[in-house]
Amino acid sequence: MRTIRVSAAVIIDGNRVLAAERGYGEYTGYWEFPGGKREPGETGEDAIVREIREELGAAIAVDGFLGTIEHSYHDFHLVMDCYIAHIQKGAIEAKEHMALRWLSLDELDSISWLPADIKILPAVRNLL
């Protein structure tokens, strides 16, 4: 089984966190923390800054490392490094997602998260 390493941004604004709805593939309609694959030579932080600029059109500042999550899907193993961040410049827009939502602590369970992203929710709850 192949392993894919990605970086995800847990973008915080006050007492809310950003969730993005997938618009493609087997998990269309599920929600995730935005991010993507690392390119050769990139650090996890470099990857997440680039991915958010490409996917959401905004510049972020990385505030810290939240943790690494591993999850085996049926056709690959995911290793996801999660970083706490905030919007530094620009307005976010859903360039590659169906929708974006800012969620409060009470709203975290109101959407269908991707299986890997569910695993980081306890740490996210501690941030809100």
Side-chain angles (χ1 to χ4, degrees), residues 4-5 25-26 48 72 74 77 94 104-106 115:
I4 298 175
R5 185 160 209 132
E26 179 180 349
I48 201 60
S72 291
H74 63 87
H77 181 74
S104 67
L105 179 62
D106 295 340

Side-chain angles (χ1 to χ4, degrees), residues 7-117:
S7 291
V10 177
I11 301 173
I12 304 290
D13 180 26
N15 63 346
R16 303 177 307 160
V17 66
L18 184 67
E21 186 178 15
R22 286 179 68 96
Y24 62 91
E26 179 180 349
Y27 289 97
T28 297
Y30 281 81
W31 293 78
E32 64 185 350
F33 294 106
K37 295 179 189 173
R38 287 189 194 179
E39 292 182 354
E42 271 187 327
T43 66
E45 288 186 25
D46 291 340
I48 201 60
V49 168
R50 176 186 51 76
E51 285 284 347
I52 297 306
R53 185 178 60 250
E54 292 172 2
E55 290 183 8
L56 304 179
I60 61 167
V62 177
D63 299 315
F65 179 70
L66 188 58
T68 299
I69 298 300
E70 294 197 35
H71 184 81
S72 291
Y73 289 92
H74 63 87
D75 57 344
F76 67 95
H77 181 74
L78 181 72
V79 178
M80 182 170 70
D81 296 319
C82 302
Y83 295 89
I84 305 162
H86 68 273
I87 302 294
Q88 188 173 44
K89 184 178 178 185
I92 59 168
E93 57 181 298
K95 293 182 170 191
E96 296 184 16
H97 294 92
M98 290 188 347
L100 300 171
R101 282 184 59 189
W102 288 102
L103 302 172
S104 67
L105 179 62
D106 295 340
E107 296 170 313
L108 282 180
D109 295 325
S110 68
I111 59 175
S112 296
W113 290 96
L114 284 170
D117 293 71

Side-chain angles (χ1 to χ4, degrees), residues 117-127:
D117 293 71
I118 288 171
K119 293 180 176 181
I120 198 68
L121 288 179
V124 172
R125 282 185 173 87
N126 290 333
L127 297 172

